[in-house]
């Protein structure tokens, strides 16, 4: 049994990622896999600026997004998860307004109207985790670095997945692309959760076990020196840490 972060969770994640900013998370959930409620809660707590998902149905990629609350997102997932592989995106704003229209995923289309549409079907959908340098750096709050990039660059590769993948690799960051065959292609380093098989662009959704006495841990770099309490599982237990599940 492990114990997991409460209020220090995000800080630990960022430190363990050597200072890299999370800026959104992409979750890939295959049909039949379980997405624990606690995982989704953690992801939404760290990325509270809206969410969306995409899946393949009848030779088209369906995108449904603009979920600005955790219950709305959970219901949307529950409606389709039994029958489809899902790409789920939770946003942490970097550019543009906090609005349903700027939630991911997006169709790989140049039209701003379609990029802002909350429910649609398309040939290729894309979700992004990171910041794309040189894009979205305007005063226009109706666009973001991702939508700007898709309009200017990405949409030109709507029928060229290898070329798109090559461009995204050069851009940096992390992407999940879904095609009309249902194929999911990822760009950048994704993490697999051994407990569920879920794949994510960063570990903000996954539980983090704390070190034991044997491994030790330098808490001074995080929140000073929290009380050194050791629980019955021989794990360090500062006062504001909580268990998930049965003790």
């Amino acid at each position: 049994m492990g114990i997991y972060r409460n209020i220090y969770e995000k800080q630990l994640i960022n430190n363990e990622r050597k200072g890299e900013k999370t800026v959104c998370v992409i979750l890939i959930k295959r049909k039949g896999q379980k997405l624990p409620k606690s995982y989704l809660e953690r992801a939404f707590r760290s990325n509270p600026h809206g969410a969306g998902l995409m899946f393949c149905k009848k030779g088209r990629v369906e995108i449904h997004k603009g979920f600005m609350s955790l219950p709305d997102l959970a219901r949307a997932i529950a409606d389709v998860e039994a029958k489809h592989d899902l790409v789920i995106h939770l946003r942490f704003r970097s550019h543009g307004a906090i609005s349903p229209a700027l939630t991911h995923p997006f169709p790989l289309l140049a039209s701003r109207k379609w990029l802002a549409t909350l429910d649609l079907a398309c040939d290729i959908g894309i979700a992004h985790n990171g910041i794309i340098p040189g894009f979205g750096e305007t005063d226009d709050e109706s666009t973001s670095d991702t939508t700007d990039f898709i309009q200017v660059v990405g949409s030109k590769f709507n029928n060229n997945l290898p070329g798109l993948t090559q461009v995204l690799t050069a851009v940096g960051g992390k992407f999940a692309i879904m095609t009309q065959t249902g194929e999911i292609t990822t760009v950048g380093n994704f993490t697999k959760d051994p407990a569920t098989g879920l794949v994510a662009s960063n570990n903000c959704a996954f539980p983090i076990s704390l070190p034991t006495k044997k491994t030790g841990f330098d808490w001074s770099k995080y929140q000073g020196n929290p009380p050194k309490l050791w629980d019955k599982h021989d794990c360090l237990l500062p006062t504001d840490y909580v268990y998930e599940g049965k003790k």
Side-chain angles (χ1 to χ4, degrees), residues 141-157:
E141 287 286 289
S142 68
T143 189
S144 68
D145 57 325
T146 306
T147 57
D148 195 10
F149 175 80
I150 292 172
Q151 282 187 288
V152 176
V153 180
S155 58
K156 294 179 171 57
F157 295 86

Side-chain angles (χ1 to χ4, degrees), residues 1-58:
M1 178 67 197
I3 52 175
Y4 310 112
R5 288 276 179 184
N6 185 6
I7 63 170
Y8 296 150
E9 179 180 342
K10 187 174 181 180
Q11 182 175 357
L12 177 58
I13 290 169
N14 287 339
N15 277 279
E16 288 189 338
R17 290 173 61 78
K18 299 180 180 178
E20 178 182 346
K21 293 182 179 180
T22 301
V23 192
C24 309
V25 65
I26 302 166
L27 297 172
I28 299 175
K29 179 189 177 299
R30 299 291 180 176
K31 181 172 63 176
Q33 288 179 331
K34 292 186 180 298
L35 174 54
K37 180 181 177 181
S38 60
Y39 284 38
L40 198 60
E41 288 174 344
R42 267 191 294 271
F44 200 92
R45 187 165 62 245
S46 295
N47 303 277
H49 299 151
L53 56 85
M54 61 181 170
F55 55 89
C56 184
K57 183 178 179 181
K58 297 181 179 179

